[in-house]
Amino acid sequence: KAFVEVKPDSHFSIHNLPYGIFKRNGGSTATPRPGVAIGDYVLDLSAIHSAGLFDGPLLSSSDCFHQPNLNKFLELGRPAWKEARATLQKLLSSAEPALQNNASLRQKALLPVDEVEMLLPIAIGDYTDFFSSIHHAKNCGTIFRGPENPINPNWFHLPIAYHGRASSIVISGTDIIRPRGQGHPSGNSPPYFGPSRKLDFELEMAVVVGPGNELGKPIDVNEAAEHIFGVVLMNDWSARDIQAWEYVPLGPFLGKSFGTTISPWIVTLDALEPFACDAPNQIPQPLPYLAEKISKNYDISLEVRIKPAGQEEAFTVTRSNFNHLYWTITQQLAHHTINGCNLRPGDLLGTGTISGPESDSYGLVSARGMVTMLDLVHAQGRSYHMCHDYPYYFTCEV
Amino acid sequence: KAFVEVKPDSHFSIHNLPYGIFKRNGGSTATPRPGVAIGDYVLDLSAIHSAGLFDGPLLSSSDCFHQPNLNKFLELGRPAWKEARATLQKLLSSAEPALQNNASLRQKALLPVDEVEMLLPIAIGDYTDFFSSIHHAKNCGTIFRGPENPINPNWFHLPIAYHGRASSIVISGTDIIRPRGQGHPSGNSPPYFGPSRKLDFELEMAVVVGPGNELGKPIDVNEAAEHIFGVVLMNDWSARDIQAWEYVPLGPFLGKSFGTTISPWIVTLDALEPFACDAPNQIPQPLPYLAEKISKNYDISLEVRIKPAGQEEAFTVTRSNFNHLYWTITQQLAHHTINGCNLRPGDLLGTGTISGPESDSYGLVSARGMVTMLDLVHAQGRSYHMCHDYPYYFTCEV
Ligand SMILES: [Ca+2]
Ligand SMILES: [Ca+2]
Ligand SMILES: [Mg+2]
Ligand SMILES: [Mg+2]
Ligand code: NI
């Protein structure tokens, strides 16, 4: 369908077209700019715009593709996103000559992925992390509250969340430095201080917010999808010893704020539409402001693979699915604004750890989707490194 | 000392010179720009810079005063802040003719406060709220944990904090809309849903961060003051019914994120130096990374006054002092980075409610510095309005 070669196992077909920000390796023209992935190439959207090929009414005179992040494009909303998608699918199709037969433009605009460096795709004003997988809530609650009544009663009435740290969100491939901090005192000694001994990460996806809302004007749950541009993969790195000591009574702080990893490519909600599936039935019935006319999840396989340093092969530590969310991403977003809180373009909403129903013994702390790094690496090392990622799964090199 | 008239009861003498962002009322030159307050005037720093009067080595060729927020100036750090202060104190002194005797520049650069509109002075990347007053911790803890052991053991070992919402921080004078949300169910009925019935605000100050640090590189507690530009007054609006139902296990979220008010003027740490005083002795002794060579608080009277709608007079509901902090602002900042978390210019660190040791009955929920709005206003009103503020106290009109 695309004139660009797309290998059969590629995640980047013409039906996906995820957005990111890249710069060319070296060179004086290495300014950050928006691109979409197609096969093993990145299509430079600023070059396509300069060539006049974004000829739709919303994008032809916009400068949103001449920006160092995607925020301005996100602010334009779904009509502009749909126009961009239609334009790009046409432009890349084998039936269309405009780009295919223009060798000099192709040379300029279609860059092999190994000739570019990916950057953080959005300026993130605020980052929120939800807690929306019932299996994860059950697994965590069993540990902290006991097996009889693992889930706090409020969990079934509202999507629980906390504010996270925006400054330390980085893209895959960025080193995560093992945090130092305080852990619980034992006996009469002072609290432990030193490198975290309980570092793990949670497998999550995260929603990238589009237009958003003014302060004081909540978003209706049935219109919430209009404010969701797409999703990224997210690793919520967590130092459990630091977290356990600090979190009463105000929640996670330094146990999380040392780093959060997202994928460089944002997969659009429009591209995910074919994977939409019914969300779980919710009992008790949610309050009217959370009751959706259509309640959707997405059937997307998730897999965590780890490749220890010095080993050839990555191995899979967990498999899950995006459809394990109890609270949908639209319910999360509507709930976030019900008090009048304003969301801005580029805000990031983590789903919370996405755990499945089956237990697993593969180096996990307590739940599918939580991987204890210390079980897998030498305790004396200070830095972890994630080396690759793909739209629907990622590999970690430790 | 200044050639501009400064009334005896003004907080804006030549020794203060707080920074803000303003725009002229109406007119085509109404672009937001930095200014300092002097008496009843605002000095336009972009005009002063354009006139070549910032002639020091760090600021003469910087464009930091031609920005719509103070972030670029904050990033320059204390040497530039001191250069600006020295330049401005000289320029405004009655012994110096450069501005005083230049009528056309004075006309352009020295604007009556009632001819300008104040704006949010900083782009806030991340907002953190600490919990550093021992009297407040004791008052809150007595309510939630009982009088025998009101304070959780971790409190004495580290400055407790949570991430707050940056998008909904506004300056004084901005309407705060009463949030809607869920409150505790009673008996077998579903949770309450509607406008909050327990709205209050906490009296705080907040630190405005200067240069900050790279991810993974903590700031030493003895160098932390170099990263503090100044302080603002802060109102941490809180819906206690929403907070009480949502906050287990991840902390405050929608109970706070509907709005946080700061003063438009940032008082610099350099201006506060004459008010420095000893911080309280800390027992147990803090861990080495929190042990300061010099541990300072600031003796600053704080007062909350409320002027109900339709009444002539404001009345004082609480008095406190900035010196009631147990954990100093430099300890807060150093602790925030000990795990490698990066602070950026313009980040805001609330101190937490500043409560004094004496109890008070003037319409307070539970502690000095916490004011229940509902005791003071008609429950049917939806919007609160703060109408005035001054550097060291503010007035609220409800
Ligand atoms: Ca998480
Ligand atoms: Ca507070
Ligand atoms: Mg994290
Ligand atoms: Mg607040
Ligand atoms: Ni908590």
Side-chain angles (χ1 to χ4, degrees), chain A residues 125-126 154 157 163 165-167 180 182 191 193 245 248 254 257-258 287 289 335-336 339 341-342 344 347, chain B residues 125-126 154 157 162-163 165-167 180 182 191 193 245 248 254 257-258 289 335-336 339 341-342 344 347:
Chain A
D126 278 288
N154 61 4
H157 293 278
H163 304 295
R165 180 80 192 174
S167 69
R180 287 182 300 159
Q182 294 191 27
F193 178 78
W245 174 231
V248 174
L254 300 188
S257 64
F258 57 93
L287 282 166
Y289 82 92
H335 179 67
H336 204 316
N339 68 343
C341 180
N342 53 332
R344 295 177 294 189
D347 282 351
Chain B
D126 277 289
N154 61 4
H157 293 279
Y162 64 97
H163 304 294
R165 179 80 192 174
S167 69
R180 287 183 301 160
Q182 295 191 28
F193 178 77
W245 173 234
V248 175
L254 300 188
S257 64
F258 57 92
Y289 82 92
H335 179 67
H336 203 316
N339 69 342
C341 179
N342 54 333
R344 295 177 294 188
D347 283 352

Side-chain angles (χ1 to χ4, degrees), chain A residues 124-131 145 152-155 157-170 174-182 185 189-193 215-216 218 242-259 287 289-290 335-344 347 349 382, chain B residues 124-131 145 152-155 157-170 174-182 185 189-193 215-216 218 242-259 287 289-290 335-344 347 349 382:
Chain A
I124 301 167
D126 278 288
Y127 152 51
T128 302
D129 198 14
F130 282 86
F131 185 46
R145 301 163 48 92
N152 199 54
N154 61 4
W155 195 92
H157 293 278
L158 47 81
I160 296 286
Y162 65 96
H163 304 295
R165 180 80 192 174
S167 69
S168 54
I169 298 175
V170 297
T174 309
D175 284 349
I176 296 292
I177 309 287
R178 184 194 297 265
R180 287 182 300 159
Q182 294 191 27
S189 54
Y192 167 80
F193 178 78
L215 192 58
I242 296 173
Q243 186 181 348
W245 174 231
E246 75 176 358
Y247 92 109
V248 174
L250 298 177
F253 182 51
L254 300 188
K256 301 267 193 182
S257 64
F258 57 93
L287 282 166
Y289 82 92
L290 289 172
H335 179 67
H336 204 316
T337 67
I338 187 61
N339 68 343
C341 180
N342 53 332
L343 299 178
R344 295 177 294 189
D347 282 351
L349 312 184
R382 278 200 77 225
Chain B
I124 301 167
D126 277 289
Y127 153 51
T128 302
D129 197 14
F130 282 86
F131 184 45
R145 301 163 48 92
N152 199 54
N154 61 4
W155 195 92
H157 293 279
L158 47 81
I160 297 288
Y162 64 97
H163 304 294
R165 179 80 192 174
S167 69
S168 53
I169 298 174
V170 296
T174 309
D175 283 350
I176 296 291
I177 310 288
R178 184 195 296 266
R180 287 183 301 160
Q182 295 191 28
S189 54
Y192 166 80
F193 178 77
L215 193 57
I242 297 173
Q243 186 181 349
W245 173 234
E246 76 175 356
Y247 92 109
V248 175
L250 298 177
F253 182 51
L254 300 188
K256 301 268 194 183
S257 64
F258 57 92
L287 283 165
Y289 82 92
L290 289 173
H335 179 67
H336 203 316
T337 68
I338 187 62
N339 69 342
C341 179
N342 54 333
L343 299 179
R344 295 177 294 188
D347 283 352
L349 313 183
R382 278 199 78 224

